[in-house]
Each structure stands twice: as structure tokens, then as C-alpha cells.
Amino acid sequence: MHCPFCGHVETKVNDSRLAGEGRQIRRRRECLKCGERFTTFETAELLMPLVIKGDRGREAFVEGKLRAGMEKALEKRPVPREQIDEAISRIVHNVRTLGDREVSSRAIGELVMEELRHLDEVAYVRFASVYRQFEDVEAFHEEIQRLRTARPPPAAHAPQARGHKREPRRAANRDQLPLLPADPAANDAEPDARGKK
């Protein structure tokens, strides 16, 4: 492989390892002339099905469009790049293994929504609002209700002593809402209320 920095024709492989859940080989290469290092990925070349759009037109499957749509939904969300790459790899793998020559854009959209639901709920609702063309607040509400019912039930916690129930809840609220100032008036009022009892 030619060096992308100086164009020299000889490079050596310093390290090879599996990537993309075993569907790629990641290689670290070094140019034998300028010494620069770079990474390449090797994947099996398989034909992807054509995508049937909503207007019944056909177009080639383009991974870049898939990535752009997911990254738009995940914009400013705390999801690591590695998790996004793995999700895209799973979607591409699922589309490829359908075994069909054509696949509807709707089927691909459902695969994207399933991955986003596991990655980030806010991104999921963002994508769903465009993909399902929400027209009013009620449609948003229905989708959020669907999301809530699909969540696994919370793990059961051991009961705590009465005197220790309130403090963890206050700490959790401070973590979730760091921009809200503490309410000193409410804290000062508590001893008076106890004194009156």
C-alpha cells in the first residue's frame, strides 16, 4: 500500500487485530521511507442490496448516509465514537445478511431506531420524530410512552432504614440538575418545622 503522506510504495505492518466485532481487520502500518504511521481497515467485499425509497425509486446503499443520519440524531449526546461505529457495523451486517437484492428504506430505518434505542433515548426520539414524521406533541408523547414501556423493570433494591431514605434522593437530584441552585430557605425552614411538631 502506498504511504498517504509521501506516496512511497513500501510500508510495513506493525500490528494487526480484529475490529468491528470480527468483521474487519485493523492494521497499523509504517512507511519505510518517511517513517509516518497510519491505520488501514480490511473488510470482505460483499454486494449490498439496493435501497427502495419511499417514492419506489432505487438507489445504492451508502454507509456514509447511514452514518450521517445517526450522527445527526446523536449530536451533542454523550455516546462514544466506538459505540456508534459498532452500531453502524451491526446495521450494515444485518442489511447484508438479509440475503435480498433489494431492501426498503423503512426496514433500514427500523434497524437504525433499534440501535439508537439502546445507545441513547434522546437520540432515538430525535430520529423517530423525523423518520415517523411526527406532526404534533401527542405523537411525541405516544413515542415516549412506547419507549418507557419497552424499558426493562428497575432492579429491586434492598429496603433502607427510614432515616436514610431522603439523603440519596437529594444527592441524585443534584447530579441530574447541576444548574439549579440550592434552596437555602427550604433548608433553613426544616428545623423550624420539626421544632413546631
Side-chain angles (χ1 to χ4, degrees), residues 85-110:
D85 291 342
E86 287 170 8
I88 290 170
S89 179
R90 281 192 295 272
I91 294 168
V92 172
H93 176 72
N94 288 335
V95 170
R96 186 179 286 138
T97 55
L98 287 173
D100 298 326
R101 292 186 177 182
E102 297 179 334
V103 62
S104 70
S105 58
R106 184 167 190 82
I108 296 172
E110 293 296 332

Side-chain angles (χ1 to χ4, degrees), residues 8 13 17 19-20 65 69 71 76 80 85 87 89 94 104 109-110 116 119 132 135 138 148 179-181 190 197:
H8 188 62
V13 175
R17 62 184 62 188
K65 285 186 178 180
E71 287 180 348
K76 296 184 180 178
D85 291 342
S89 179
N94 288 335
S104 70
E110 293 296 332
L116 287 175
L119 285 175
R132 293 191 172 152
E135 294 180 0
E138 191 58 36
R148 284 180 175 158
L179 300 178
L180 294 181
E190 280 184 6
K197 284 181 181 177

